[in-house]
């Protein structure tokens, strides 16, 4: 399961068109909850974009339409009530994330410092109870945050991101970023269950097989430890999410891996297709 709450939906064609008309367009007028489900309960994808009238937020709550995220001081409760596309099927239920520790690490992803990333609970547990589709499970979880002061196509061309659970319960994250101008930036950091972290030297890049949409992707893996694609979860014209096997810090690990091709995001053909996956309502 992947769940993302957007204030200023970074992939939204509606937001891009609004910014082209008015650079002062409010991010709050383009909000969405993205839920992606995989597995025996069936695949679901929701990403209904809504206006500012559907947004409510405070220090402890973010509500977008009928769904909300609430921090109670110990855990993050996510109450979902969304409709999937292209087949309209309800995704309704509760997700609770229990951090083992809260992290306070934040770093810039670009030379200008206008795009930032930081984990919130890189080592966590999750409890999922879905009424629609009927499914429940518990397991490992990861929670982070991205923010930016400008559209992503200004500084970036692409990035590969991965996170892996290590044998000692820590989580290793690699952000491998390519910029339009300036050198590649690589953030490689290991987060402990208590929220502390330390940098590590990233291993070399290894090319991965191209996707069905002909997206190039790479994975940093220990020498002589080939990275293998175990499962492709999302394969789109500009973005791919996979489960990989690779070598990291002397261990054979399973990683969640994502590749974003930014020129594909802003291509006119992509933006004309996206409303089929990202409907907008008031």
């Amino acid at each position: 399961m992947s769940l993302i709450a957007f204030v200023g939906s970074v992939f939204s064609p509606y937001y891009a068109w609004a910014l082209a008309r008015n650079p002062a367009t409010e991010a709050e007028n383009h909000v969405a909850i993205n839920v992606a489900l995989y597995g025996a309960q069936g695949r679901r994808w929701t990403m209904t974009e809504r206006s500012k009238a559907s947004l409510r937020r405070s220090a402890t709550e973010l509500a977008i339409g009928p769904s909300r995220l609430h921090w109670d001081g110990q855990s993050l409760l996510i109450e979902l009530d969304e409709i999937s596309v292209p087949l309209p099927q309800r995704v309704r239920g509760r997700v609770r994330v229990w951090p083992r520790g809260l992290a306070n690490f934040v770093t810039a992803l670009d030379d200008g410092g206008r795009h930032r990333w930081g984990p919130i609970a890189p080592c966590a547990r999750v409890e999922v109870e879905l009424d629609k589709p009927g499914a429940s499970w518990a397991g490992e979880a990861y929670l982070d945050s991205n923010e930016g002061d400008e559209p992503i196509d200004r500084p970036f061309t692409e990035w590969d991101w991965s996170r892996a659970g290590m044998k000692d319960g820590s989580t290793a994250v690699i952000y491998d970023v390519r910029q339009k101008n300036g050198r590649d930036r690589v953030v490689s950091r290991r987060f402990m269950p208590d929220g502390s972290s330390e940098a590590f030297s990233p291993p070399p890049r290894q090319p991965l097989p191209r996707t069905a949409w002909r997206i190039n992707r790479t994975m940093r893996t220990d020498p002589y430890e080939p990275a293998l694609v175990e499962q492709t979860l999302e394969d789109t014209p500009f973005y791919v999410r996979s489960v990989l096997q690779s070598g990291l810090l002397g261990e054979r690990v399973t990683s969640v891996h994502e590749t974003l091709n930014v020129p594909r995001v802003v291509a006119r053909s992509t933006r004309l297709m996206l409303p089929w996956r990202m409907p907008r309502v008031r």
Side-chain angles (χ1 to χ4, degrees), residues 121-180:
C123 305
R125 291 282 295 170
V126 68
E127 298 171 357
V128 181
E129 295 182 2
L130 298 178
D131 305 318
K132 298 289 184 177
S136 63
W137 70 89
E140 297 301 306
Y142 167 90
L143 176 65
D144 72 0
S145 174
N146 286 73
E147 62 181 23
D149 303 324
E150 63 183 6
I152 59 172
D153 59 294
R154 292 186 185 173
F156 302 123
T157 58
E158 62 182 357
W159 68 61
D160 293 287
W161 172 92
S162 66
R163 62 103 175 170
M166 309 301 292
K167 290 179 179 178
D168 64 355
S170 63
T171 295
V173 179
I174 300 177
Y175 236 122
D176 195 351
V177 179
R178 272 75 83 191
Q179 301 182 88
K180 284 183 176 178

Side-chain angles (χ1 to χ4, degrees), residues 177-193:
V177 179
R178 272 75 83 191
Q179 301 182 88
K180 284 183 176 178
N181 300 300
R183 296 183 300 174
D184 296 351
R185 293 175 67 91
V186 181
V187 180
S188 50
R189 203 155 186 97
R190 187 170 187 168
F191 295 89
M192 309 306 170

Side-chain angles (χ1 to χ4, degrees), residues 19-90:
L19 285 171
R21 294 190 300 270
N22 177 13
T25 295
E26 291 183 296
E28 289 83 355
N29 205 40
H30 300 273
V31 296
I33 299 286
N34 172 225
V35 183
L37 292 176
Y38 316 100
Q41 75 280 350
R43 297 176 70 93
R44 297 285 194 280
W45 170 275
T46 82
M47 197 167 175
T48 301
E49 184 171 311
R50 302 176 187 275
S51 70
K52 187 176 181 179
S54 299
L55 173 67
R56 305 181 306 281
R57 61 175 173 171
S58 67
T60 58
E61 183 177 77
L62 172 64
I64 297 175
S67 299
R68 74 168 191 141
L69 294 79
H70 174 71
W71 173 252
D72 64 9
Q74 300 293 324
S75 66
L76 179 66
L77 174 64
I78 306 166
E79 298 175 316
L80 299 171
D81 192 358
E82 300 290 326
I83 301 294
S84 69
V85 291
L87 295 177
Q89 297 174 299
R90 190 170 294 279

Side-chain angles (χ1 to χ4, degrees), residues 253-264:
V253 298
T254 300
S255 299
V256 178
H257 179 275
E258 299 175 346
T259 297
L260 178 68
N261 183 301
V262 179
R264 293 273 194 96

